[in-house]
Structures are given as structure tokens and as C-alpha cells.
Amino acid sequence: MSKKVQLDIENIAQTRAGFLAVLDSGAELIVDFEKCVGLDLSGFQLLVSLVREAKEKKKTVVFCGELKKEHAQLMILFGVNERDCLTGEELEKNLKAVL
Amino acid sequence: MSNDTFVDTFREEALELLGTLETALLELEENPQDKELLSAVFRVMHTIKGSAAMFGLDKISKFAHEVESILSALREGKLSVSKELIGNTLLARDLILEMLDNLSEATGPLSSKLLDFLKNFKLIIGFVSVEEKVLPEIQKDKKGNRESKERRQTYHIVFKPGIDSFRRGCNPLLLIQELMSLGEVVNIPVFDQITDLESLDPESCLVSWEIYITTTATENELRDVFIFVEDFSEIHIKCLDNLIDESGETNKRVGEILIEQGKLSVEELDSLLGSQKRIGELLVEEKLVSATDLKVALESQKQIQQVQKNKALHDDMSTIRVKSEKLDELMALVGELVTVHAQILQTSKTVEENEKLNSVVEQFGRLTDELRNNTMSIRMVPIGTTFSSFKRLVRDLSSELGKNVVLEADGGETELDKTVIEKLNDPLVHIIRNSLDHGIESPEVRSSRGKPKTGTIRLSAIQSGASVFISIEDDGNGLNKEAILKKAITKGIVAPDAQLEEQAVFRLIFAPGFSTKEAVSAVSGRGVGMDVVNRQMEIIGGSLAIESEETKFSRITLKIPLTLAIVEGLLVRIGLEHFIVPLSVVVGCMEFIQADQRKNSSIVLFQDRQLPFVNMREFFSIPGERNSIEQIVIVTIKDQQFGLLVDQIIGGNQTVIKPLGKLFRNATGISNGSILGDGSVALIIDVEQIIGSLETINND
């Protein structure tokens, strides 16, 4: 998925549908955080669900790109990271570790 | 209380704080990542600043403020711990100490010396570049001010936002952000309710948090954070400090925590116990708990331990300050009371049997015992503080000598009477200086000998009976017996043809004026220091032993009495004289019938072992005839047992030690005196000296 990623409450239902469509097609889902334009708790929940999906149903989901500073700070509030300047890869690793 | 008294109190507290600061700084140098140490250093400077300002000592306050700014930048990660930073903070500490020594100079603007120091300090550590950014933040930091004044507590918060939180326009993350502004937060998200993508309702709030916050805020202030969401969210707040107070439990295991949290049953836990793997890993592997549950339990365990640690620290601080002279007076009075009790006991035996009197005397004895033990325990101080104070000495002196040396300390919790500890400081300083100068080699020499470039001086303390053994060991040169003997002969300390045992040669280093060093340096070479060790050991009734192997190590072991005030003793009689054998060396007693002995034999059978014994009547040249039935006190010294032949063993005796004075300094076999219940004097036997003198006679 190389389009812009909208992970906020206004767009979350649509983004979820987009994610599902990609995964159902059997394609690899790449979430590039450099293209993430909005992120809030609802988006964070979606990411957790995505990682769980990938882990349990062996789907290919890849997080990549550097998180924007404000998003990285949000991750600290979520409690998945203790410092900012997080990359998509690190976030994926952290989420997998607690699921 | 006059203002002077307040200032004196401030001074005493500040001196104590500066001691803590020195120790913390040296530890921080070794563990630069330790945030607790960093906070401790900051708190000391902050407290000194605030207290000095309160007493109008504005020079100290301003100076401490400047140093505090640097430490604040360090705490915020804007500076890093470096040798220069630690060194200069130590110097700043010394400058505050100087101002405390001369309080009349502690007011007014900062002197040029202090300003120059600060300028140089900031320049060296690169503080100037961050200073402008840091200062406004410090001024804004009301939280920091509050932290130092109020006690921080740790709370466990379970926060489960209502499922419709998003629809209500609530953002739970803002609440967590608010919590973070109140203290140090560890928040663990719980994802149990988040389903797979297909069944996920993305507009429902499904995440919850287990939060640990350490803060000065009250429980009500924490509840206020959630005030607008409490109607539709689940919020539980518990103060861990209170939980520990109630349960008194400290070292809870992860399994126990999980059972308490209702995430695991006792049966499930029992089924896994006994495995080699960690219980947490097993529980997750067996899917009995989730990784998040385990993380929460581990964090809970960590926080409880931290709270307990802080509580212990806080409890330690719940003390009152008493002048040491008052303790000395109290000890002297208790000593007199013990003597009076002995007199009453003695007198009660001379009057007609009176049950009530006996009961009162017995009760008085018990109370005296308790009072004595309590008073003595008040005077007991852990030797660790003294050990820590040598870290600075080693740091500074090794740097001066161009050597790399670390000081390791073990057994710092061992307690000794404060008077003994005070008297130990000088001997230990001299031994350590000697180790640094003569013992530890230069890095080049150490490398050539296949040793690590950094030398080690190890201090250790251990209590055994009524004595404490303190050893000072270095992995340096060791002692060169030939060089010591040669120098001693040159100085006329021993005769050129003297045949000395290894220990006797080693002991020459304690002779007055002895030094193998050709040149006198600022550190050693005058042959004065080690003589001080010897003299001080004599004063406190201690002894010393040396072990060494050339190019490998040297170890000096000091044997120190626990206290100089009172000992438990065994009262014995020889002729008309009374003596006291310290109970710490007594292993047993036996009857001795002269007629059963082979003529002139000095051996007795005790517990199937043949032991030599000393006829104390002969040893002290006490006139009179020997009894047909005598008694032997079996004592142990340096793992060897001996007997002391006396006329009669009277019984246990609480012995208040009275020094004998200069006249008896050279009397062999006695260490001190004591006053008995009838007012007569009993001499305290120095068993080690008796055995030592007999060995000398036998060798000769």
C-alpha cells in the first residue's frame, strides 16, 4: 500500500476497509509511516489489529519508514515505546513483542 | 532555639549532605546511566541551595544554584556524565565545604574565585552552549521544587476508557499525557479487546492501560485527571506504598502477583513450578497468561521493589540528630549502672534470703542488660561510610601518581562502635596511601607482569564474635622481604645477624621511621604513616596481621574490638586477685586436679584433644599455694586452643572497661581493668598477648 495512510478517527473505517482489501487479495501490505498523515488512538488500535492479523493468519504486513515526530511522541503515550524517533520496523517489532 | 543553633543545625546537615554527595558522585562516575544516583546528586545540591537561602547564607545558595543548573541539564540529558563533570562537581562540593567551615564568609556576592571556578567548570563540560536553553526551563520547573519538599509515592492505575469514548469526543491519550506531567510514568497498554481486522470495530475504544506513576501528587489529584471520563470509564487507583504498609510483603514473585491480579490460578501456577525455565516464559508459552499480563506483573514487581527501597530510605531518614558527646555520656552512665547492678547483686547475696529482693535484683539486671544493649546499638555505625570516604582518596591520589586504581569495598554493613570507627580512619588512610604508592604498580609495570592495567585495592569487613576483621588488600607489588630487612638493618631497627620469621619481617614496616622508599614524596616515604597504624591499633586494643606474596599481593588484616566500652567476660580468681577473660575467646571450662597430672606436664585433655595450658598464677607471679582442685578456662586464638589455669571460675560478668593508664602500658597479659560489684578491681586478660609471649619464650 503505497498511498497516503490516514489513521485517525475520521478515516479509520475507510482505512480498515482498504487494509482488508489488500490482505484479502493476498498481496503484501506495506504501511509506510512517512506517508502517514493522521494518527490517533483509533489508528493505533488498527495497527495492533493488523499486526495480530499478520501474526495469527500468517499474512504479510510490513511497517516501514520513519515516524513523524508527533506520531513518535504519540507512541510514547500509547505505551509501546519509551523514546521517540521510532521507525515503522521498530514499531512492528515492539507490537509483536507484546501481542 | 537561637538563630545560631539553627545555623549550626544547617551546617551539620549540610556536612552530612556533602558526604552523601561525594559518595553519590563517585558512584555515578562508575554507573553513569544510573538515574537514581543522578537524582540523588541533584537533590543534595537542591537541598543545600534551599536551606542555605533560608538561613541567609546567600553565597552558598547562589553557588549551589549555579551547580544545580549544571546538574539539572545533566538530569535532562543535555549533558553527559564525564570525568571532568564529576571532578568539577567534587571540587564544587569542596568549595561549599570551605564556605561551611567559615560561615561568616558565606554571605554576600560570589567571590572572584567562585566565579572563575564556575566559568571554568561550565566551559570544560560544554554547559555554556546549553545554558541559555536550560535556565528558563529550570525556572519553569515547579514540579522539581515540589519533588524535593514532598514525599513521592507510587500508584498503580488501571485505566479502561469506555468503549464509546471516541464517539463521546474523548481522547484518552490526553489523560495519559496529563498524568505524565505529574510524575514518572510507566504505561503498559492492554490489547486484549482488540480483535482481528475483520471483526474489529475501529470506532470503538478497545485499548486500556496499566499505569505506574511515581509522583508527589495525591490520590485525589490523580483522580481529578479522570474527572470527565469517570462516568463511562473504569478507573482503579491504588497507592503501592500503602499496600506495602498493609501487607508488609516485599519480595513477591511474578506468579503470586498474577494470582493476586486474578490472571492465573494457583493450580495453573503449581503445574508449572519445578521447571528449569523462567516461570514468566513458561506461562506465556503455555498460553496461561498473555505477554501483556506478564509485562504488567513484571512491572508491578519492579515498582513494588522500588517503593520498598524508597520507603527504607525514607525510614532511614526518620531520625533525630543527637550530639555524639551525649551518647558518650549515656554510655558512661550505663557503664556505671552496670557496676551498680553488680554491687547490688553482690550485696543481696550477703543479706538473709529474701525472695522479693532477689526478684527485684533479677529484674533490675534484665533491664540493665537491655539498656546496655540498646545504648550500645545506638553507638554502632556501619563501616561502609568510612569505606566510601576512601573512594575520593583513591581517585585523587591514583590520578596524582599516574596509576589506574579502583577501590572495591565489601561488608560495608558491618557495624562498629562509633569511637572505634573514628580511631580507625587514620590507620586505614595510611595503609591505603601506602598501597597506592608502594603497592600498586604503574600501568606499564602491571602490563609487563601480565596484570590488568588497573590495580585494585579491596577493603572488606566481617564480624566474628566480639571482633571485626578489616582487611586491606592490593594486587600490587607485594612486600619484598629482603629489601625490608636490609633497610631495617641499615636503620639499626634490627641487628645485622637477626634471624626473623616472615611475619616479623613484614611487621618491620610498622616500625617508627621505617620506609623502604629512597625519596620522600607528598604521598609517603617518611616512614611515619605505618607507625601510626601500629600505635592506633594498640590504643584500641586491636591487632594486625600481614600476608603478602612478592609481585602478587599484600593483605593487612586488622582485628578490631566491636566496642571499647563494655565486654562480656568470665570472672576468675587467682589467689586473692580477680581477672576477667573476654567471653568471646572462651570455648569451655574444666576442672583440673593436680594430683591426677603427670609431674610438670602442661598438657590437658579437653574433648579428646591434647591442649597446652598456662599456669596463670605463675604467669602473673601471684604468691600463694595452688589449690588441690583448680579450674581451666579453654580459650581460642587464631584457630588454636589453649587452657588458662586459674584457682576458681566465678561466672559471667558484664565488664565495663576502664583504661589502666600509661603506667600499665607495658604490662604483658592484661589489656584493661574493670570495677567489680564490691568495688575491687579486676584486670581484663589479654589472651592473645599471653599466648604470644609464651611463643616468644619458647622460640628463644
Side-chain angles (χ1 to χ4, degrees):
Chain A
M1 187 176 176
S2 58
K3 291 186 284 183
K4 71 176 177 181
V5 190
Q6 291 177 304
L7 293 165
D8 50 20
I9 190 71
E10 283 86 28
N11 302 290
I12 202 69
Q14 201 184 339
T15 306
R16 173 181 159 273
F19 283 176
L20 267 175
V22 175
L23 290 174
D24 287 346
S25 72
E28 186 180 56
L29 175 66
I30 301 170
V31 182
D32 184 349
F33 283 91
E34 280 173 26
K35 290 177 182 157
C36 181
V37 289
L39 177 68
D40 62 18
L41 186 54
S42 66
F44 172 71
Q45 292 184 159
L46 189 65
L47 294 174
V48 173
S49 176
L50 201 54
V51 172
R52 176 161 282 165
E53 180 97 7
K55 199 174 169 184
E56 287 169 9
K57 297 184 181 168
K58 310 283 178 212
K59 300 272 175 74
T60 312
V61 175
V62 177
F63 288 0
C64 65
E66 201 165 310
L67 268 77
K68 293 190 172 76
K69 198 169 172 58
E70 63 271 25
H71 294 164
Q73 281 168 352
L74 274 181
M75 290 298 169
I76 296 173
L77 294 180
F78 292 145
V80 290
N81 202 25
E82 288 168 4
R83 60 182 176 87
D84 53 11
C85 304
L86 188 84
T87 62
E89 289 85 353
E90 281 178 278
L91 176 63
E92 190 182 340
K93 199 175 132 195
N94 285 354
L95 285 177
K96 278 181 178 165
V98 288
L99 280 177
Chain B
M1 213 181 195
S2 69
N3 195 41
D4 281 354
T5 319
F6 282 124
V7 173
D8 282 348
T9 308
F10 159 72
R11 192 175 169 278
E12 274 176 33
E13 282 177 0
L15 288 174
E16 204 169 286
L17 284 169
L18 290 177
T20 310
L21 178 65
E22 188 177 65
T23 310
L25 280 168
L26 294 168
E27 279 178 32
L28 184 63
E29 191 171 28
E30 284 169 20
N31 308 294
Q33 303 302 325
D34 193 326
K35 286 182 181 169
E36 274 300 311
L37 280 173
L38 184 54
S39 295
V41 167
F42 180 84
R43 279 198 299 271
V44 168
M45 202 49 79
H46 185 79
T47 309
I48 290 178
K49 179 187 88 168
S51 313
M54 208 161 78
F55 292 105
L57 305 169
D58 50 347
K59 195 193 272 186
I60 295 181
S61 177
K62 281 176 202 159
F63 183 72
H65 171 74
E66 294 292 326
V67 182
E68 184 197 15
S69 307
I70 296 169
L71 296 174
S72 176
L74 182 66
R75 199 162 67 150
E76 287 162 18
K78 289 168 180 156
L79 289 171
S80 53
V81 175
S82 64
K83 199 170 179 181
E84 290 74 27
L85 188 136
I86 297 290
N88 278 284
T89 314
L90 282 169
L91 288 175
R93 172 222 174 251
D94 295 346
L95 288 168
I96 295 174
L97 197 64
E98 269 179 32
M99 288 188 263
L100 284 172
D101 281 342
N102 191 0
L103 283 177
S104 59
E105 295 285 314
T107 53
L110 292 179
S111 64
S112 56
K113 179 186 167 186
L114 295 176
L115 287 170
D116 287 348
F117 167 78
L118 287 168
K119 194 176 162 192
N120 191 39
F121 185 2
K122 290 174 182 176
L123 200 68
I124 287 174
I125 58 163
F127 180 68
V128 183
S129 56
V130 296
E131 195 173 16
E132 283 178 14
K133 276 197 285 177
V134 173
L135 283 177
E137 285 172 30
I138 291 169
Q139 282 153 10
K140 274 190 282 175
D141 184 15
K142 287 177 188 162
K143 195 174 85 181
N145 286 338
R146 183 177 168 164
E147 273 175 16
S148 64
K149 286 176 195 157
E150 293 172 26
R151 188 176 166 202
R152 285 151 54 95
Q153 290 191 301
T154 302
Y155 296 86
H156 176 209
I157 302 173
V158 178
F159 174 37
K160 292 183 182 170
I163 197 159
D164 56 350
S165 292
F166 300 154
R167 285 181 277 269
R168 287 170 178 263
C170 157
N171 183 357
L173 291 179
L174 291 176
L175 307 181
I176 292 179
Q177 193 171 24
E178 197 177 337
L179 277 181
M180 283 181 167
S181 72
L182 292 174
E184 287 164 31
V185 167
V186 175
N187 59 330
I188 302 167
V190 180
F191 307 131
D192 294 356
Q193 302 301 314
I194 300 178
T195 59
D196 61 11
L197 203 55
E198 204 164 332
S199 48
L200 179 79
D201 173 5
E203 289 175 357
S204 289
C205 184
L206 302 165
V207 72
S208 62
W209 285 270
E210 300 260 356
I211 302 164
Y212 292 91
I213 177 168
T214 303
T215 174
T216 54
T218 62
E219 189 173 327
N220 281 340
E221 284 171 310
L222 294 178
R223 287 196 186 280
D224 285 350
V225 172
F226 302 99
I227 199 161
F228 297 114
V229 299
E230 63 183 359
D231 289 346
F232 56 89
S233 302
E234 204 179 316
I235 298 138
H236 304 283
I237 303 179
K238 276 188 211 163
C239 178
L240 291 185
D241 297 59
N242 294 346
L243 284 181
I244 286 171
D245 286 344
E246 284 162 15
S247 67
E249 287 180 61
T250 53
N251 296 318
K252 282 191 182 167
R253 291 167 192 271
V254 172
E256 290 170 336
I257 294 170
L258 285 163
I259 290 171
E260 260 182 25
Q261 292 175 346
K263 289 167 184 165
L264 184 71
S265 71
V266 178
E267 293 74 29
E268 285 168 334
L269 179 65
D270 285 347
S271 69
L272 295 178
L273 288 176
S275 166
Q276 294 296 313
K277 276 194 179 177
R278 286 184 174 197
I279 194 73
E281 286 170 18
L282 271 173
L283 289 167
V284 175
E285 261 178 32
E286 297 288 321
K287 294 194 167 33
L288 290 172
V289 296
S290 70
T292 309
D293 287 342
L294 177 65
K295 196 175 171 190
V296 172
L298 286 170
E299 188 59 39
S300 181
Q301 188 185 40
K302 192 173 137 193
Q303 294 284 344
I304 288 170
Q305 284 167 358
Q306 188 60 42
V307 167
Q308 187 63 27
K309 202 171 143 189
N310 292 343
K311 195 173 171 297
L313 203 68
H314 186 263
D315 289 347
D316 280 350
M317 287 159 73
S318 308
T319 53
I320 56 160
R321 199 172 292 274
V322 178
K323 282 200 178 296
S324 58
E325 293 85 0
K326 288 194 174 178
L327 280 184
D328 293 341
E329 279 169 28
L330 179 64
M331 194 66 225
L333 287 171
V334 170
E336 295 305 323
L337 197 63
V338 170
T339 310
V340 170
H341 168 248
Q343 285 173 349
I344 293 175
L345 189 64
Q346 187 115 351
T347 313
S348 70
K349 284 174 185 165
T350 61
V351 297
E352 203 177 316
E353 187 72 20
N354 181 326
E355 207 174 293
K356 198 167 180 189
L357 176 67
N358 289 345
S359 154
V360 170
V361 172
E362 198 181 306
Q363 203 179 348
F364 180 51
R366 268 203 310 274
L367 289 173
T368 311
D369 271 1
E370 266 181 48
L371 182 63
R372 182 199 65 162
N373 291 339
N374 273 313
T375 310
M376 280 179 52
S377 72
I378 294 171
R379 291 163 54 97
M380 299 302 267
V381 182
I383 194 147
T385 325
T386 310
F387 280 179
S388 304
S389 68
F390 297 133
K391 281 198 171 181
R392 178 84 185 268
L393 173 79
V394 171
R395 181 187 187 275
D396 293 352
L397 210 56
S398 57
S399 159
E400 199 180 302
L401 293 165
K403 295 178 179 178
N404 303 328
V405 188
V406 289
L407 180 77
E408 290 178 0
D410 191 26
E413 69 288 349
T414 311
E415 290 187 327
L416 273 164
D417 189 293
K418 77 168 193 58
T419 328
V420 180
I421 286 197
E422 281 162 10
K423 289 187 175 11
L424 266 181
N425 193 62
D426 281 356
L428 289 176
V429 166
H430 287 298
I431 296 173
I432 291 169
R433 287 171 74 96
N434 211 57
S435 283
L436 281 164
D437 198 17
H438 297 278
I440 305 286
E441 314 92 326
S442 64
E444 299 75 38
V445 175
R446 290 184 66 84
S447 291
S448 70
R449 286 179 176 172
K451 294 180 178 179
K453 282 187 177 175
T454 301
T456 305
I457 296 179
R458 190 170 291 111
L459 290 173
S460 67
I462 187 165
Q463 188 190 335
S464 172
S467 302
V468 167
F469 293 83
I470 296 174
S471 74
I472 309 99
E473 182 181 342
D474 70 64
D475 62 348
N477 275 316
L479 294 176
N480 181 335
K481 274 182 278 182
E482 286 73 35
I484 293 170
L485 200 56
K486 196 174 154 194
K487 196 73 181 180
I489 292 169
T490 314
K491 293 226 168 209
I493 297 171
V494 290
D497 57 347
Q499 296 294 312
L500 298 178
E501 295 279 321
E502 187 179 71
Q503 267 296 312
V505 176
F506 287 162
R507 278 173 184 274
L508 288 170
I509 65 169
F510 296 107
F514 183 88
S515 174
T516 53
K517 218 177 172 191
E518 296 302 330
V520 172
S521 72
V523 181
S524 65
R526 292 186 193 279
V528 177
M530 298 305 260
D531 174 32
V532 169
V533 178
N534 217 12
R535 272 191 285 122
Q536 205 68 340
M537 282 300 104
E538 279 173 17
I539 291 169
I540 59 178
S543 59
L544 56 86
I546 311 170
E547 296 157 85
S548 179
E549 195 178 330
E550 213 180 326
T551 73
K552 298 275 172 57
F553 77 99
S554 292
R555 186 188 304 124
I556 297 178
T557 306
L558 309 178
K559 184 188 171 195
I560 319 286
L562 265 180
T563 174
L564 302 181
I566 291 179
V567 287
E568 286 289 347
L570 187 67
L571 186 65
V572 298
R573 182 182 60 79
I574 309 164
L576 299 174
E577 306 295 335
H578 287 95
F579 293 87
I580 290 159
V581 185
L583 216 50
S584 57
V585 296
V586 175
V587 278
C589 300
M590 63 181 285
E591 202 167 72
F592 181 80
I593 302 170
Q594 208 181 339
D596 294 349
Q597 280 292 108
R598 271 180 31 210
K599 204 176 178 188
N600 293 330
S601 168
S602 295
I603 301 288
V604 284
L605 203 63
F606 177 72
Q607 292 174 349
D608 298 330
R609 289 178 63 194
Q610 288 192 328
L611 301 180
F613 70 88
V614 184
N615 183 338
M616 299 305 289
R617 181 184 282 275
E618 277 178 19
F619 187 88
F620 287 125
S621 307
I622 296 170
E625 288 298 311
R626 283 175 66 178
N627 298 342
S628 55
I629 300 174
E630 295 164 294
Q631 281 173 307
I632 289 183
V633 181
I634 309 293
V635 294
T636 179
I637 288 287
K638 295 175 187 165
D639 296 328
Q640 284 187 296
Q641 292 187 350
F642 298 87
L644 303 177
L645 180 68
V646 298
D647 287 0
Q648 187 193 359
I649 293 169
I650 296 170
N653 183 281
Q654 271 186 30
T655 308
V656 180
I657 299 172
K658 302 276 181 193
L660 289 174
K662 286 179 187 171
L663 207 63
F664 295 90
R665 186 178 288 168
N666 296 322
T668 311
I670 49 172
S671 59
N672 287 291
S674 183
I675 297 168
L676 297 179
D678 62 359
S680 65
V681 172
L683 296 171
I684 301 170
I685 289 178
D686 187 332
V687 180
E688 197 171 351
Q689 234 179 49
I690 290 175
I691 305 304
S693 67
L694 288 176
E695 279 173 357
T696 314
I697 292 165
N698 290 340
N699 290 340
D700 290 347

